[in-house]
Amino acid sequence: MSYENRLARFDADSLMSAGGTVDTAAIEKFIAEISVYANDPSVQRASLARLLALEGRAYLLLGKNSKAETLYQESVAAYKGDAHSIILARRLGLQSDDVTGDNALLTLDSAVDLYKAKKYLESVAKFDEAFLALDSFYKSAYVEVRDSAWGLRNLSESQASGNLLILKKISVLQMLAITRSTTDLLYNYTSGKPLSDKELFAKLVAAGLLNPVSQPPSSENAVVENDIVTKYISARFLWNLYNSKKKSSAAINKYSTRFRSQNRKSPVKDLDVASDDFDAVLGCVENEFMSLEDGVNFNGEKPVSALEFSEYINHIK
């Protein structure tokens, strides 16, 4: 895998992680390898400029701005106008000459800037423009960022605050934070008070919104605050919240009651009638809050991304 390919993946991964978290060990290994190559006296000046710029961008991902700036100056001294050198200067907040740089790479960097600025629709357009002109590995690296921008395009800046909605996996606490920030469904439980995430969790647990309804609550089927949210957990919370909103607690376990009394098989291939969340899954699917991915299976243990959960919760009116 080329140095540019690897750097692109590090950069894209940092955009899709909470707080810009990076794989420090992998980036340090990358730096060690590229610095050896950059010190080879046979490397041409233009190639050296790119290697130094890529190394500088790697240091920048580690938060080592001073070292990144030194490498930028060395890159410019070797050869002016390299696209990665220009991108490094931009991200360091330095002036650079954008004369001979690869326009497609600069377009890609503009897409990243727009994504960071939460200008999602503009970001998508720039990503698509850049992908047409760049090597395919750039699309492979950044396509998840582009798709995230597309999914976030209709959200207001306040809803997308804190970059919470870019997370690939979320905890139960984060699920509740998304619900609170993107809907008013929890107002009856908070009365508009600024509760902490843990205080909110405690209130909703006390209200039974995280309990199973198809089987009695127990220590074995309890949900805790740091659990990774799966489709089952999402369905449980959505179904409880929906019935609480509708004040229809009598109908909350209507599916399991009916199917058990009639000794019927589950209509969902990978969901047993005896499941803790049988009612929640059938209720969410029937009301179109969630769907069967292939028309027959629910895949309940699959982790849910923040954006997927946001789409689920916004189906409840």
Side-chain angles (χ1 to χ4, degrees):
M1 188 182 294
S2 73
Y3 292 128
E4 289 184 60
N5 189 345
R6 290 164 69 186
L7 191 282
R9 291 180 183 277
F10 292 145
D11 189 47
D13 286 346
S14 75
L15 294 170
M16 294 302 296
S17 66
T21 305
V22 296
D23 186 340
T24 301
I27 294 177
E28 288 176 344
K29 180 181 178 183
F30 171 83
I31 289 171
E33 291 177 14
I34 203 169
S35 62
V36 170
Y37 190 24
N39 287 322
D40 185 339
S42 66
V43 175
Q44 298 295 312
R45 296 182 70 82
S47 296
L48 176 61
R50 175 147 297 195
L51 291 169
L52 293 169
L54 291 170
E55 186 179 353
R57 290 188 59 187
Y59 272 109
L60 194 59
L61 288 171
L62 295 178
K64 299 182 178 181
N65 292 29
S66 179
K67 180 63 175 178
E69 186 170 345
T70 297
L71 286 161
Y72 166 69
Q73 300 297 344
E74 292 177 6
S75 175
V76 172
Y79 185 86
K80 288 186 177 181
D82 179 80
H84 284 285
S85 179
I86 293 168
I87 291 169
L88 178 57
R90 285 182 175 183
R91 296 195 182 185
L92 285 166
L94 303 175
Q95 294 291 328
S96 66
D97 296 325
D98 293 16
V99 179
T100 60
D102 185 330
N103 288 334
L105 278 174
L106 301 183
T107 299
L108 179 66
D109 193 53
S110 294
V112 169
D113 284 343
L114 289 165
Y115 183 82
K116 291 177 179 177
K118 299 182 176 64
K119 296 180 180 179
Y120 296 116
L121 194 55
E122 294 172 61
S123 176
V124 169
K126 287 292 184 182
F127 273 122
D128 289 345
E129 180 184 347
F131 291 161
L132 289 173
L134 291 171
D135 288 333
S136 60
F137 68 76
Y138 278 105
K139 182 175 182 179
S140 296
Y142 288 95
V143 70
E144 190 172 8
V145 185
R146 183 264 180 212
D147 290 348
S148 173
W150 178 254
L152 293 165
R153 70 194 185 282
N154 292 323
L155 294 175
S156 69
E157 187 169 325
S158 62
Q159 289 176 321
S161 63
N163 288 329
L164 186 60
L165 291 180
I166 71 170
L167 298 180
K168 301 176 188 177
K169 295 181 181 180
I170 55 174
S171 68
V172 171
L173 285 183
Q174 289 169 330
M175 175 181 75
L176 303 183
I178 291 168
T179 305
R180 177 167 54 182
S181 66
T182 62
T183 75
D184 61 0
L185 293 170
L186 299 183
Y187 184 82
N188 289 340
Y189 303 95
T190 66
S191 299
K193 296 178 181 178
L195 301 177
S196 71
D197 290 345
K198 291 193 175 186
E199 288 172 333
L200 178 62
F201 174 78
K203 274 191 171 291
L204 299 186
V205 167
L209 294 187
L210 293 169
N211 287 343
V213 299
S214 301
Q215 297 289 351
S218 69
S219 59
E220 293 183 357
N221 59 30
V223 171
V224 298
E225 60 189 38
N226 292 319
D227 280 348
I228 295 299
V229 174
T230 62
K231 292 187 71 179
Y232 280 140
I233 291 175
S234 297
R236 179 184 300 190
F237 177 59
L238 293 168
W239 188 235
N240 280 316
L241 192 59
Y242 172 74
N243 282 281
S244 174
K245 179 178 171 63
K246 297 293 184 182
K247 297 180 172 57
S248 56
S249 58
I252 197 168
N253 60 352
K254 62 182 180 181
Y255 300 101
S256 60
T257 300
R258 183 170 72 248
F259 275 76
R260 288 169 185 167
S261 67
Q262 297 173 359
N263 198 27
R264 292 170 57 189
K265 290 184 177 180
S266 171
V268 180
K269 186 176 180 181
D270 63 349
L271 179 73
D272 195 276
V273 175
S275 168
D276 296 334
D277 297 302
F278 181 78
D279 289 280
V281 172
L282 262 63
C284 286
V285 171
E286 184 172 84
N287 287 277
E288 299 184 343
F289 306 150
M290 304 176 74
S291 63
L292 303 179
E293 294 185 11
D294 57 2
V296 291
N297 292 294
F298 185 68
N299 296 328
E301 298 294 346
K302 179 182 175 183
V304 169
S305 73
L307 191 57
E308 286 173 324
F309 178 75
S310 177
E311 291 172 352
Y312 298 157
I313 197 70
N314 279 285
H315 285 311
I316 298 181
K317 305 299 182 184

